[in-house]
Amino acid sequence: MKNYVSASVLSADMLELKNEIKKLEKSNIDMLHFDVMDGIFVDNITFGLPVLQRVRSATDMTLDVHLMITDPLKYIDNFADFGADIISFHIESSSDTMAVIRAIKDRGLKASIAVRPATPIESVFEFLPFVDMILVMTVEPGFGGQSFIPETLDKVRAVRARITELGLEADVEVDGGINSDTAAAVRAAGANVLVSGSYLFGAEDMAAASESLKEDKSC
Ligand code: DX5
Ligand code: ZN
């Protein structure tokens, strides 16, 4: 299973966004993670469609959009039009889960279900045959720079086991508090797409930091 690093632009310098994206490209980062928050589903408001459109025009990187919004179904076509490649939406949102998956797949994009730390992972099991990825939140969604919640590892293990059991090839993404210390644990538990914001953007050498998320440091 291939490992990927998805850089959360929430930690980027917004006034320098174009240069920040160039830096990600030069650092061999696989994807750009784009956190959309509506101030209702989570206690924060970030950026939306116009910013995504400008980001799309600046890069060919895979755009991994994470919707932390109340009614994702209403906006899937917009995010598809504005350049998303992968769309994660929350199972706790008010939209019908299967309807959102269908809307994303109808646009030819990869569909992913995100789960908050307190939501049982079993809630996504019935949808596994229809999605490309499951996003296990490893912090409470809303803000970058929080500490990893170790109890979420069991959820990563459980969903990876179920995916294997069903003979599927879905990716398991983790998001929140991922750094060189927590990366090995989430990979061992079965995650293969690692989102990282504050750790990557705070690193002196972004390429080395990204590499440290993908591989065990041999000593
Ligand atoms: C949190 C966001 C994350 C966040 C990760 O709600 O979904 O993507 O930016 O940031 P770090 O890596 O700093 O925890
Ligand atoms: Zn995110």
Side-chain angles (χ1 to χ4, degrees), residues 175-189:
D175 183 9
I178 303 300
N179 54 39
S180 55
D181 296 327
T182 53
V186 290
R187 279 190 285 107

Side-chain angles (χ1 to χ4, degrees), residues 99-113:
V100 184
I101 294 171
R102 258 189 243 114
I104 299 171
K105 301 299 282 183
D106 280 353
R107 294 299 306 262
L109 308 181
K110 289 192 173 180
S112 159
I113 306 177

Side-chain angles (χ1 to χ4, degrees), residues 92-138:
E92 307 87 359
S93 73
S94 60
S95 304
D96 177 72
T97 303
M98 205 55 220
V100 184
I101 294 171
R102 258 189 243 114
I104 299 171
K105 301 299 282 183
D106 280 353
R107 294 299 306 262
L109 308 181
K110 289 192 173 180
S112 159
I113 306 177
V115 277
R116 284 179 183 264
T119 304
I121 194 67
E122 291 72 19
S123 60
V124 305
F125 283 4
E126 64 179 294
F127 303 106
L128 285 175
F130 312 106
V131 296
D132 302 281
M133 186 166 86
I134 297 294
L135 197 185
V136 178
M137 287 305 301
T138 44

Side-chain angles (χ1 to χ4, degrees), residues 6-11 33-37 42 44 66 68 90 135 137-148 174-179 195-200:
S6 190
S8 173
V9 288
L10 196 56
S11 295
H33 186 82
F34 193 88
D35 285 310
V36 181
M37 306 186 192
V42 289
N44 196 4
H66 178 192
M68 285 159 276
H90 275 264
L135 197 185
M137 287 305 301
T138 44
V139 298
E140 198 54 54
F143 298 89
Q146 303 181 72
S147 298
F148 179 79
V174 283
D175 183 9
I178 303 300
N179 54 39
V195 176
S196 181
S198 47
Y199 172 69
L200 278 183

Side-chain angles (χ1 to χ4, degrees), residues 29-64:
I29 307 281
D30 306 290
M31 303 179 197
L32 194 151
H33 186 82
F34 193 88
D35 285 310
V36 181
M37 306 186 192
D38 66 359
I40 300 167
F41 185 76
V42 289
D43 290 334
N44 196 4
I45 299 175
T46 54
F47 30 69
L49 294 162
V51 180
L52 181 68
Q53 190 177 38
R54 296 301 288 148
V55 169
R56 176 76 294 166
S57 70
T59 184
D60 290 329
M61 283 178 80
T62 299
L63 300 186
D64 170 33

